[in-house]
Structure formats: structure tokens, C-alpha cells
Amino acid sequence: MTVPPAAQSQPSAAMVVPRFAVRQRITVMVNRYEVRAVQPDGSEGHLLAMAQQKRLKLKEEVVFTADEARTRPVFSFRARQRLDVHAEHDVFDEYGQVLGSFKKRFGASLLRSTWELSAPGLQAIGRERRPFLAVLRRIWEFIPYLGDVWVPFVFHFDFVDTATGAPVLVVERRKSIRDRYDVHVPDPRLDFRVAASMAVALDALQSR
């Protein structure tokens, strides 16, 4: 993907990764996600971060570590409010400095999931790419018992700059038993840590 013209005249983020993959690990008590580099041939490379989401917490929080043993937290995202589906989430670096934020537009998301994403010098809006599939997925989830049956709805999200309409972040889900996403970041103003947080949130918080 080419760099949007508007982004070329502004400083790049501190940590830029143009493409990476997110893969969910199936566990009982927590949701875990691997964030990995992507090789030129499209295969997955080395581990960039490991994310863990504890279930049933009053205030949503996901911590990313540099290793699988979870010995070094490197960034995180956390809800501002407790038990609030409308909560805005802040992304923090390892020292607690805010890197960006995101929140779900629940009114617009009734038929088509819509998210707002903010970072220094950047405001973006993200929507499910296929409106028909978005509606179909909601109908499936509302049918008693049937909604609990796992079906691999392959949904994609496109985030664009609200000022220019240029692409900022693209998250594409792949057909797999474990959720797997290919993430492209064409706009260098978007820090990798914010992009990775948003990509994980699209899976971890999508049903909220």
C-alpha cells in the first residue's frame, strides 16, 4: 500500500510497522493473542507482542508483553469507565504515556460495526467492509441457541482519515478455526502499538 499524501507531510509515529498479523490463542480463562511480523512472502515471522485479556473484569484491560512468558509489559489499552459498553479505551506505552484512543460508535454499530480511532495528528473512522455480511452476522447472533454456534464470518474493517478519506488501517480476517487477522498500516502516523491494540480490540470487544 502507498503512503497517503496527507501523511507524507506530517511526522511519522515513534514505532511504525506497515504490516503484521494477529492470531488468537484458545484458552479457558483468558483471551490471548499473538502479534507477529509478516515476511515478504506473506508468512508469519517473529513475535512482536503477546496480548492477554482477562475475562469478567469490571474495567476492560488488555496488556501486551514482549515475550510469551509475559515478563515485560510493553504497551496496553484500558477502558476509561467500568462496566460501560460505550467506554472509550486509551492506549498506553510501557511508561503509562497515552499513545492514542479508540471507541465504538454504538448507534452506528447496530447494523454495521463502526469505530473511532485517534492518535497524534490523526482522526480516523473504521467500518465493516461488507454491510450485508454485518447485518447477517447480527441476525445469526440474535437467534436463540444458534447464535452460540461458531461460524467463521469473515469480516474486514477499513479505517480512513476523517479529513481526507485516505486509508489509515486495514484489518482483514482470514478463514481459520482460530481467529487470524492480517493488518496493514498504510499511514505512518499511526503507531504500531495503537494499530495492534485496535486490531486486537476488533476481536476481543467486537461483541460488546
Side-chain angles (χ1 to χ4, degrees):
M1 292 186 179
T2 59
V3 177
Q8 295 177 2
S9 60
Q10 298 187 32
S12 298
M15 188 179 297
V16 178
V17 180
R19 186 183 179 189
F20 58 90
V22 175
R23 182 184 296 273
Q24 184 185 35
R25 282 189 176 183
I26 299 175
T27 60
V28 177
M29 296 303 298
V30 298
N31 289 329
R32 289 197 177 106
Y33 299 87
E34 298 175 4
V35 183
R36 291 189 174 274
V38 174
Q39 307 284 17
D41 63 0
S43 61
E44 294 183 8
H46 64 279
L47 183 71
L48 296 173
M50 177 70 72
Q52 177 167 304
Q53 174 201 32
K54 292 184 179 180
R55 299 172 185 170
L56 303 177
K57 290 194 66 174
L58 294 179
K59 184 180 289 189
E60 196 69 58
E61 182 178 17
V62 174
V63 177
F64 294 76
T65 56
D67 57 347
E68 295 194 35
R70 298 171 44 236
T71 59
R72 182 194 164 197
V74 287
F75 61 99
S76 63
F77 69 80
R78 184 171 66 246
R80 293 182 183 177
Q81 297 87 25
R82 296 183 177 183
L83 298 176
D84 183 2
V85 295
H86 298 84
E88 188 163 1
H89 294 72
D90 292 311
V91 182
F92 301 91
D93 68 10
E94 61 184 308
Y95 304 108
Q97 298 298 312
V98 176
L99 298 169
S101 63
F102 57 85
K103 66 178 180 180
K104 194 172 188 178
R105 282 188 180 178
F106 278 85
S109 296
L110 292 176
L111 293 178
R112 185 183 183 188
S113 290
T114 303
W115 293 79
E116 295 178 7
L117 176 64
S118 301
L122 178 63
Q123 296 288 330
I125 188 79
R127 297 183 178 90
E128 286 187 76
R129 184 179 300 169
R130 302 170 182 171
F132 173 77
L133 185 59
V135 173
L136 179 62
R137 185 162 58 83
R138 280 153 180 74
I139 294 174
W140 183 275
E141 291 172 352
F142 276 109
I143 299 175
Y145 304 109
L146 190 59
D148 293 329
V149 178
W150 180 84
V151 173
F153 286 109
V154 182
F155 54 87
H156 311 308
F157 279 85
D158 299 299
F159 288 77
V160 299
D161 189 319
T162 56
T164 66
V168 170
L169 174 68
V170 178
V171 182
E172 298 181 319
R173 181 174 177 176
R174 300 304 180 194
K175 292 181 179 179
S176 174
I177 296 297
R178 294 188 304 170
D179 293 342
R180 197 260 192 189
Y181 301 86
D182 287 340
V183 185
H184 297 263
V185 188
D187 195 320
R189 294 174 297 172
L190 185 61
D191 193 281
F192 159 71
R193 293 163 290 185
V194 179
S197 295
M198 185 74 257
V200 168
L202 288 176
D203 186 274
L205 309 181
Q206 179 60 21
S207 62
R208 303 295 175 87

